[in-house]
Amino acid sequence: QVQLVESGGGLVQTGGSLRLSCTVSGSIISINAMGWYRQAPGKQRELVAGFTSGGTTNYADSVKGRFTIFRDNGKTVFLQMNSLKPEDTAVYYCNADLWDSIVATHVYWGQGTQVTVSS
């Protein structure tokens, strides 16, 4: 069974840093796209950063210059978050579009990890 396993959330003061990680567990053929979304209370889920199927990276305007998404050679994607602000407080979800069969890709979501930035 394929799952996305997240770690790295927590409580940090304004200006601090956190690193989130997301690992694909289970058997897959390859990763088509992968990234991070977040959802704050009362707001819609939004894309924070991600790798596209072409290998390029996308960032929300609000995090450009502060957050960096990168991956290892395996099945893990990281989100390095620097200069954190209270408005970054949200539940962060890993998202991946995976070739889990030769027929088609499927979208998976992690369980979410809480990031809280205190002022």
Side-chain angles (χ1 to χ4, degrees):
Q1 183 178 359
V2 176
Q3 292 181 321
L4 302 182
V5 181
E6 303 163 347
S7 65
L11 173 64
V12 65
Q13 291 185 333
T14 296
S17 298
L18 284 173
R19 178 179 291 184
L20 306 182
S21 67
C22 176
T23 299
V24 180
S25 70
S27 179
I28 61 169
I29 298 171
S30 66
I31 297 171
N32 188 46
M34 197 163 173
W36 290 91
Y37 286 72
R38 68 185 180 188
Q39 188 166 20
K43 294 188 177 181
Q44 290 188 334
R45 192 171 296 190
E46 63 174 357
L47 174 68
V48 178
F51 286 100
T52 68
S53 58
T56 59
T57 54
N58 292 324
Y59 292 93
D61 288 342
S62 60
V63 307
K64 285 180 180 177
R66 300 188 298 122
F67 290 11
T68 303
I69 188 169
F70 60 99
R71 58 190 295 181
D72 66 4
N73 291 327
K75 298 188 290 184
T76 299
V77 168
F78 302 89
L79 183 67
Q80 178 66 42
M81 305 185 293
N82 298 329
S83 302
L84 282 161
K85 305 176 181 179
E87 50 264 44
D88 295 318
T89 296
V91 178
Y92 284 68
Y93 296 92
C94 182
N95 168 274
D97 186 33
L98 305 174
W99 284 99
D100 54 3
S101 76
I102 62 172
V103 176
T105 65
H106 293 92
V107 175
Y108 292 84
W109 289 93
Q111 77 280 6
T113 185
Q114 178 70 46
V115 171
T116 302
V117 184
S118 63
S119 58

